């Protein structure tokens, strides 16, 4: 079995990192979660060398970090890193839509299908699938509009955003997010790329506004204030 898994991993060298990305987008892996080489080697049935290579690629993509004491672990973005991630997404996604000539009917159908899948996941209460689809919409948008380079960049940035949302306790409502995706598609269908870009900018500002930066960034300050003001 291990030999077969090893062969599969060699055929698809990105299998391990793809699974980790999918799990992160689905909210199944939390920020700061440790990813032990030994455990991953057993899970995927491959050598630790292949695991380490996958981890190094994920590190280059900004999804995991390594420390001498903890080994590999999922990133825990700082407040500044979280803001930079949202700003990067805004520059890429708004820019992508501003420069778009016109979306074809086939593109619109593909995007509508994705939003219908989002709605189905929301209605069924499948939190993991909902999280994945809402994040992946932005990758799907770039792929559908024919820009694989942007799609690859957005894959990593949306994964970071999902981790940020988990870390900073996002209150962004899934129904609202799905509705905003639909509005962007409506504008594209009408051939109004300027309006689609404006709606994307609004959507990403809503995503950022929903983040409770204080929940993780100021825990030490809150603890210090609470203890200093205890009056003992």
């Amino acid at each position: 079995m291990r030999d077969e898994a090893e062969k599969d991993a060699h055929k698809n060298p990105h299998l391990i990192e793809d699974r980790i990305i999918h799990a992160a987008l689905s909210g199944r892996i939390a920020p700061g979660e440790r990813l032990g080489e030994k455990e991953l080697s057993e899970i995927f049935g491959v050598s630790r060398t292949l695991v380490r290579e996958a981890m190094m690629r994920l590190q280059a993509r900004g999804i995991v970090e390594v420390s001498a004491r903890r080994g590999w672990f999922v990133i825990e973005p700082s407040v500044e890193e979280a803001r930079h991630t949202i700003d990067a997404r805004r520059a890429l996604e708004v820019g992508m839509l501003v420069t778009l000539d016109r979306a074809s009917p086939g593109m619109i159908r593909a995007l509508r299908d994705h939003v219908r899948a989002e709605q189905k996941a929301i209605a069924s209460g499948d939190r993991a699938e909902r999280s994945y689809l809402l994040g992946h919409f932005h990758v799907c948008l770039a792929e559908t509009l024919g820009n694989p380079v942007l799609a690859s960049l957005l894959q990593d940035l949306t994964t970071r955003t999902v981790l940020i949302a988990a870390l900073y306790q996002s209150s962004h409502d899934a129904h609202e997010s799905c509705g905003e995706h639909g509005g962007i598609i409506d504008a594209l269908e009408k051939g109004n790329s300027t309006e689609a870009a404006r709606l994307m900018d609004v959507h990403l500002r809503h995503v950022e506004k929903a983040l409770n930066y204080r929940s993780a960034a100021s825990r030490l300050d809150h603890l210090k204030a609470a203890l200093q003001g205890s009056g003992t």
Side-chain angles (χ1 to χ4, degrees), residues 13-154:
H14 298 288
L15 174 65
I16 297 171
E17 58 198 281
D18 288 347
R19 293 274 182 86
I20 291 172
I21 290 284
H22 192 285
L25 275 171
S26 302
R28 293 191 176 102
I29 291 181
E33 186 159 334
R34 186 176 179 277
L35 301 172
E37 289 182 9
K38 181 175 182 293
E39 290 81 3
L40 291 176
S41 174
E42 292 172 356
I43 290 168
F44 289 101
V46 299
S47 68
R48 292 180 65 167
T49 299
L50 288 179
V51 169
R52 193 174 302 115
E53 289 172 354
M55 292 297 101
M56 291 174 68
R57 287 193 293 269
L58 285 172
Q59 182 184 28
R61 295 170 65 176
I63 307 302
V64 304
E65 295 176 335
V66 66
S67 79
R69 184 172 58 85
R70 295 176 60 190
W72 298 101
F73 59 96
V74 180
I75 59 163
E76 293 183 279
S78 67
V79 171
E80 185 178 20
E81 289 168 338
R83 287 175 174 149
H84 287 168
T85 297
I86 299 294
D87 286 345
R89 286 189 57 185
R90 186 178 296 116
L92 289 173
E93 298 189 59
V94 172
M96 172 180 67
L97 293 173
V98 164
T99 57
L100 179 69
D101 290 330
R102 189 176 184 89
S104 70
M107 293 175 179
I108 298 299
R109 280 195 300 273
L111 293 171
R112 296 279 188 210
D113 286 344
H114 189 98
V115 168
R116 277 192 288 271
E118 290 178 10
Q119 293 168 338
K120 184 178 178 181
I122 291 169
S124 69
D126 189 336
R127 292 174 63 88
E129 185 68 3
R130 179 190 73 189
S131 175
Y132 174 77
L133 289 169
L134 288 172
H136 196 67
F137 169 80
H138 300 267
V139 182
C140 177
L141 180 61
E143 289 176 341
T144 302
L145 298 181
N147 196 321
V149 174
L150 270 180
S152 179
L153 291 171
L154 287 172

Side-chain angles (χ1 to χ4, degrees), residues 144-202:
T144 302
L145 298 181
N147 196 321
V149 174
L150 270 180
S152 179
L153 291 171
L154 287 172
Q155 175 85 291
D156 297 342
L157 289 172
T158 52
T159 301
R160 289 174 66 90
T161 305
V162 170
L163 293 169
I164 288 164
L167 185 62
Y168 295 104
Q169 300 176 1
S170 174
S171 60
H172 198 213
D173 182 72
H175 289 89
E176 180 184 358
S177 187
C178 183
E180 290 170 355
H181 291 169
I184 292 166
I185 298 171
D186 290 342
L188 289 174
E189 189 170 30
K190 294 173 184 175
N192 192 341
S193 57
T194 301
E195 176 63 5
R198 186 189 72 80
L199 291 173
M200 179 63 79
D201 181 60
V202 170

